[in-house]
Amino acid sequence: MSELSKLPMPEGVIMAEYVWIDGFNKLRSKGRTLYKIPQVPEDLPDWNFDGSSTGQAPGHDSEVILKPRAIFMDPFRGAPNILVMCGNYTPAGEPIPSNTRAKCAKVMEQAKDLEPWFGIEQEYFLVNLKTGRPLGFPDIGQPEPQGFYYCGVGANQIFGRACVEEHYRACIYAGIKISGINGEVVPGQWEFQVGPALGMEGGDQIWMGRYLLERIAEVHGYGVNYEPKPVKGDWNGSGAHTNFSTKPMREDGGYLGHIIPAIEKLSLKHKEHITAYGSGNEARLTGKHETASIDKFTYGAANRGASCRIGHDTVKAGKGYFEDRRPAGNMDPYLVTGLLVSTCCDIPWE
């Protein structure tokens, strides 16, 4: 198969893998042959799939339309082949209920002059499919307590590095603004960061980063788990801390003039955001393991136990960004980025 994948393609012919989010907040994809290399998503044809097989349509009317929204280079098939992030629509052109991207796009369009930036820290576990436990966990019992795994080095501290390194390079090749990776505090737990990403890039690139991760883990025979608390007990969970700023926040006076007012607006809609920040998050947001309590909104400078953290550099400079630490690892980045802009910038979430 490796030799077949190197076969030359006829000039002007490419393979496009259409990627979408199903009714279970999971990724799906399928490939098609194109005879023209697209420059922008609008150059690509719409396609369709059987929504009755993905939890997105009834069997008697199962056609769901895929509309291309973002193009990435395909690290599996190589250039000029592409990956296409899509939105899901009815044949009449209306977004289906699971299409959170459409709502997010409306908010981002209204906020475009504010230039919203995002830096999203995606935590996850690589899982041994035979045991159902994270890499590095014995079949029975527990590994050594957390303390030496974070950014660790060595076979007794780090598990799955080859998969993670391949993902890092694949993201760069694809055109994702991946800004870094690191081992996290639990065996088999890792993180990749995307950003600064402008507007819709935040959601599109996290979803495509997840797609690449799951495809590469597939080759290694690993599972990928984004759940907020997949390992019970005295272990950290997985979050998706979301760093956020607007142009006024990044300008002189932005800290007191825009960041603090934005955080105070978030405090008034804490429950609304929590509802949209990932399922099962109550098991993670306990006030322990570098989290705030799910029941109370807090913020502070350099406080990793707060709902929102403001960096010392931002306080000192009087401008910059803040970090919303509430989103869970399994959050929908379209919901998180869209709601942050909606609440902080007074734009209706419709």
Side-chain angles (χ1 to χ4, degrees):
M1 289 300 296
S2 62
E3 291 303 312
L4 289 174
S5 68
K6 298 174 185 176
L7 289 174
M9 299 287 287
E11 186 175 352
V13 178
I14 69 165
M15 293 177 282
E17 191 75 14
Y18 280 46
V19 180
W20 73 94
I21 303 152
D22 69 11
F24 310 100
N25 213 39
K26 305 285 187 182
L27 288 157
R28 309 260 181 154
S29 75
K30 62 177 185 173
R32 70 178 295 171
T33 307
L34 299 176
Y35 296 91
K36 181 181 178 182
I37 299 176
Q39 302 301 313
V40 294
E42 291 73 21
D43 292 340
L44 288 156
D46 291 353
W47 206 8
N48 62 73
F49 65 92
D50 171 19
S52 68
S53 297
T54 64
Q56 293 170 290
H60 68 272
D61 186 15
S62 66
E63 187 174 281
V64 178
I65 306 303
L66 290 170
K67 289 186 175 292
R69 293 301 185 231
I71 296 173
F72 300 87
M73 298 307 299
D74 187 341
F76 305 107
R77 293 170 174 148
N81 303 298
I82 58 173
L83 302 173
V84 185
M85 195 70 222
C86 299
N88 305 327
Y89 292 79
T90 68
E94 296 296 320
I96 66 173
S98 61
N99 185 353
T100 56
R101 190 189 190 282
K103 280 188 176 182
C104 183
K106 287 183 179 180
V107 170
M108 294 303 176
E109 176 61 25
Q110 294 181 68
K112 62 183 180 182
D113 291 340
L114 296 174
E115 299 178 14
W117 285 5
F118 302 96
I120 302 173
E121 306 168 27
Q122 176 68 68
E123 294 178 336
Y124 63 92
F125 281 86
L126 292 175
V127 178
N128 181 331
L129 294 178
K130 293 181 179 179
T131 66
R133 311 188 81 192
L135 300 187
F137 274 65
D139 293 355
I140 300 174
Q142 299 291 318
E144 291 295 317
Q146 60 187 46
F148 296 101
Y149 305 108
Y150 174 70
C151 297
V153 177
N156 59 335
Q157 310 292 347
I158 288 296
F159 310 92
R161 190 188 293 277
C163 176
V164 172
E165 289 288 336
E166 290 168 8
H167 174 248
Y168 192 3
R169 293 180 69 90
C171 283
I172 292 173
Y173 180 91
I176 291 171
K177 295 178 177 178
I178 186 168
S179 50
I181 61 168
N182 61 268
E184 269 299 334
V185 298
V186 186
Q189 187 185 35
W190 292 85
E191 173 182 301
F192 70 92
Q193 304 98 29
V194 167
L198 174 64
M200 292 306 299
E201 289 180 343
D204 288 339
Q205 295 194 15
I206 282 291
W207 274 117
M208 191 55 73
R210 288 174 175 174
Y211 176 80
L212 295 180
L213 176 61
E214 292 178 38
R215 284 282 308 272
I216 293 167
E218 174 187 315
V219 175
H220 286 268
Y222 301 151
V224 180
N225 187 309
Y226 307 107
E227 293 173 17
K229 193 72 172 181
V231 184
K232 309 307 179 187
D234 192 21
W235 301 99
N236 278 31
S238 290
H241 305 149
T242 301
N243 301 278
F244 172 62
S245 70
T246 60
K247 190 170 184 286
M249 293 179 191
R250 299 187 294 270
E251 294 176 340
D252 290 346
Y255 172 54
L256 293 178
H258 296 278
I259 291 176
I260 295 300
I263 292 176
E264 290 175 346
K265 291 174 185 177
L266 288 174
S267 72
L268 301 176
K269 293 190 175 183
H270 178 60
K271 290 185 178 179
E272 179 182 339
H273 281 251
I274 287 295
T275 299
Y277 275 14
S279 61
N281 212 7
E282 67 280 355
R284 169 180 161 265
L285 295 180
T286 62
K288 300 178 181 179
H289 302 107
E290 300 181 297
T291 70
S293 168
I294 197 170
D295 299 315
K296 183 180 179 181
F297 182 90
T298 58
Y299 70 92
N303 185 353
R304 294 185 179 276
S307 305
C308 287
R309 180 185 69 87
I310 307 165
H312 279 312
D313 287 349
T314 294
V315 177
K316 184 177 179 180
K319 58 184 176 182
Y321 68 94
F322 68 91
E323 175 191 39
D324 192 336
R325 297 180 59 80
R326 296 172 295 171
N330 62 355
M331 62 83 167
D332 178 346
Y334 294 137
L335 286 178
V336 170
T337 59
L339 277 172
L340 274 171
V341 173
S342 174
T343 297
C344 295
C345 303
D346 299 315
I347 298 173
W349 180 256
E350 299 175 354

